[in-house]
């Protein structure tokens, strides 16, 4: 009997100390667009588990993998989300496991053809993703809910975006082919729509993924208060982003019933623009909500309730954060980002604040070096410089 217990204990130790490379390999997914359609029903598993994967062509010393992984919608329904995991081909020589940056992409659009894993040009890659890879860090990039995968994209819906950003980092460590170990440092980074996704990941992580060691967050051009953003977009050059946002909220929360508020012109837009990519946005410049509706849905109690639910600041992140914004951002008002900074500071968050002389697009370029350097310091264990 003693010998039997000894054998059982030895077997248990083998399984509990197995490395990621010893874990069961998820199946390879189908080629082409069929990859993005998950099996039905969705296989059982945990948030961040890989449903299937396939290798991407190697590029500039980087191994790439297309993944379909489990996550959660804005209303906590299990969903499948697509994304990419990029890993430098050179071995990691730093302390501990190779760090992972989960990048929340900026606006690509709401149609499946606009998914970051499909959309070209990948304007963020030369600005900061390549620099992250050159530092030796792995990068995970979510496609978000309904962008590539079935269903409509829940554009700018915070809880959905936060879940998918977090679970992309988890999925990266659960793909044995990538060779990434769990337990290392993780960061969330994004700009514009991605700034919201990264900040939401930071706010949700303490409760949704307490096992992750989040070393830092960078969030720029962040839509923190959607009511303020909506008022700024009304009648402006960026009005098309307001239309995308309305479609995204309606996709996340069916009770909002956007079609009930639309006039004929609005119904035509609703029926024909569900596959719009970001290049279509400026075709609606200087428009007004009244051009497309019989009454303004944003003023109703049920829309206001969901907008309030998607306001950043109520769940301060535990990790330090670099918040930044363009001084003359014409798409996302600087004022509401400053409000978020004050709320985080009041809650004791280590906030590094940056303002760049420029509008929305140029600020993305001007800030890229500072973003990478900020994350490098956090991964190195250096204390963050607080601007509070």
């Amino acid at each position: 009997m003693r010998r039997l217990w000894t054998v059982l204990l030895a077997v248990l130790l083998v399984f509990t100390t197995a490395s990621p490379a010893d874990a069961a390999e998820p199946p390879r997914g189908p080629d082409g667009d069929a990859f993005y359609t998950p099996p039905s029903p969705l296989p059982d598993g945990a948030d961040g588990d890989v449903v299937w994967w396939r290798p991407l062509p190697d590029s500039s010393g980087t191994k790439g993998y297309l993944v379909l992984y489990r996550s959660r919608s804005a209303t906590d329904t299990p969903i499948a989300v697509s994304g990419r995991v990029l890993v430098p081909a050179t071995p990691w020589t730093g302390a501990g496991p190779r760090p992972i940056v989960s990048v929340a992409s900026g606006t690509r659009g709401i149609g499946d053809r606009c998914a970051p894993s499909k959309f070209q040009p990948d304007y963020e890659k030369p600005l900061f993703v390549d620099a992250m890879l050159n530092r030796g860090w792995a990068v995970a990039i979510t496609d978000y809910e309904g962008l590539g995968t079935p269903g409509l994209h829940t554009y700018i819906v915070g809880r959905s975006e936060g879940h998918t950003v977090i679970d992309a980092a988890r999925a990266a460590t659960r793909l044995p082919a990538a060779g990434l170990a769990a337990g290392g440092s993780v960061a969330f980074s994004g700009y514009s729509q991605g700034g919201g996704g990264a900040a939401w990941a930071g706010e949700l992580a303490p409760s949704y993924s307490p096992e992750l060691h989040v070393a830092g967050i960078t969030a720029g051009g962040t839509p923190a208060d959607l009511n303020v953003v909506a008022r700024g977009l009304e009648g402006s050059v960026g009005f098309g982003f307001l239309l995308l946002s309305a479609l995204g909220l309606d996709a996340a929360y069916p009770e909002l019933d956007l079609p009930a508020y639309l006039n004929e012109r609005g119904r035509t837009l609703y029926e024909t623009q569900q596959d719009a990519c970001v290049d279509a946005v400026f075709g609606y410049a200087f428009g007004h909500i009244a051009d497309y509706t019989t009454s303004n849905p944003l003023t109703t109690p049920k829309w206001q309730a969901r907008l309030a639910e998607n306001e950043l600041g109520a769940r301060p992140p535990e990790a330090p954060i670099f918040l930044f914004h363009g001084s003359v951002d014409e798409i996302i008002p600087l004022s509401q980002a400053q409000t978020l900074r004050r709320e985080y500071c009041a809650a004791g968050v280590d906030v590094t604040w940056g303002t760049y002389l420029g509008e929305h697009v140029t600020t993305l370029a001007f800030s890229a070096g500072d973003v990478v350097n900020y994350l490098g310091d956090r991964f190195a264990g250096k204390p963050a410089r607080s601007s509070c």
Side-chain angles (χ1 to χ4, degrees):
M1 180 62 71
R2 181 177 297 174
R3 183 178 180 184
L4 176 60
W5 279 110
T6 301
V7 171
L8 289 174
L9 180 60
V11 171
L12 179 62
L13 286 172
V14 168
F15 280 100
T16 57
T17 59
S19 69
D22 298 322
E25 184 83 22
R28 294 205 179 195
D31 293 331
D33 282 345
F35 182 94
Y36 294 86
T37 302
S40 182
L42 190 64
D44 291 338
D47 299 324
D49 280 356
V50 177
V51 177
W52 59 43
W53 69 285
R54 71 172 189 237
L56 294 171
D58 293 349
S59 173
S60 303
T62 300
K63 299 285 186 181
Y65 308 90
L66 187 64
V67 293
L68 189 74
Y69 62 93
R70 288 180 60 100
S71 190
R72 291 192 171 269
S73 72
T75 53
D76 278 330
T77 302
I79 56 173
V81 178
S82 54
R84 289 166 291 162
V85 176
L86 308 177
V87 184
T90 55
W92 171 247
T93 58
R98 188 190 297 270
I100 301 170
V101 183
S102 189
V103 169
S105 297
T107 300
R108 299 298 198 274
I110 59 172
D112 286 343
R113 63 193 177 95
C114 325
S117 63
K118 298 180 179 182
F119 190 83
Q120 295 297 325
D122 186 350
Y123 57 83
E124 289 163 330
K125 187 174 186 295
L127 289 175
F128 55 84
V129 171
D130 284 345
M132 293 172 179
L133 294 167
N134 288 338
R135 293 280 188 113
W137 312 331
V139 177
I141 309 172
T142 183
D143 283 343
Y144 298 124
E145 178 182 354
L147 201 50
T149 48
L152 300 177
H153 175 40
T154 53
Y155 180 68
I156 58 83
V157 175
R159 189 171 295 273
S160 169
E161 292 181 349
H163 288 158
T164 62
V165 171
I166 290 169
D167 288 327
R170 285 168 157 168
T173 67
R174 298 177 192 175
L175 178 64
L180 299 171
S185 293
V186 171
F188 307 131
S189 181
Y191 185 79
S192 192
Q193 179 189 7
W200 269 98
E203 289 201 3
L204 294 175
S207 59
Y208 184 69
S209 57
E211 83 283 2
L212 292 184
H213 170 53
V214 182
I217 307 156
T218 71
T222 304
D225 185 330
L226 300 185
N227 267 307
V228 176
V229 174
R231 289 195 294 269
L233 291 174
E234 171 75 354
S236 80
V237 66
F239 177 74
F241 292 104
L242 180 55
L243 296 177
L244 291 187
S245 301
L247 292 169
L249 286 159
D250 184 67
Y253 310 113
E255 82 277 5
L256 295 182
D257 193 16
L258 178 61
Y261 300 89
L262 301 178
N263 60 21
E264 183 175 353
R265 187 178 180 186
R267 288 192 295 271
T268 299
L269 181 147
Y270 185 87
E271 293 166 0
T272 62
Q273 295 301 308
Q274 299 283 0
D275 65 344
C277 291
V278 67
D279 56 333
V281 166
F282 293 103
Y284 298 91
F286 308 112
H288 294 83
I289 294 172
D291 297 338
Y292 299 92
T293 63
T294 55
S295 62
N296 185 350
L298 300 184
T299 63
T300 65
K302 60 184 177 181
W303 276 79
Q304 278 298 307
R306 290 302 192 182
L307 289 171
E309 187 178 317
N310 283 277
E311 183 175 342
L312 284 163
R315 299 147 297 271
E318 294 179 357
I321 186 168
F322 174 33
L323 282 177
F324 59 95
H325 218 90
S327 59
V328 288
D329 193 318
E330 80 288 17
I331 305 297
I332 300 174
L334 171 63
S335 62
Q336 50 91 60
Q338 292 171 321
T339 298
L340 181 63
R341 172 200 179 183
R342 288 193 295 271
E343 291 172 344
Y344 280 171
C345 285
V349 180
D350 285 331
V351 179
T352 300
W353 172 257
T355 305
Y356 294 84
L357 182 60
E359 42 71 67
H360 193 69
V361 173
T362 56
T363 298
L364 171 62
F366 294 159
S367 64
D370 291 339
V371 164
V372 175
N373 288 334
Y374 179 87
L375 294 180
D377 286 345
R378 302 293 78 73
F379 287 148
K382 298 179 181 179
R385 175 182 59 81
S386 177
S387 303
C388 294

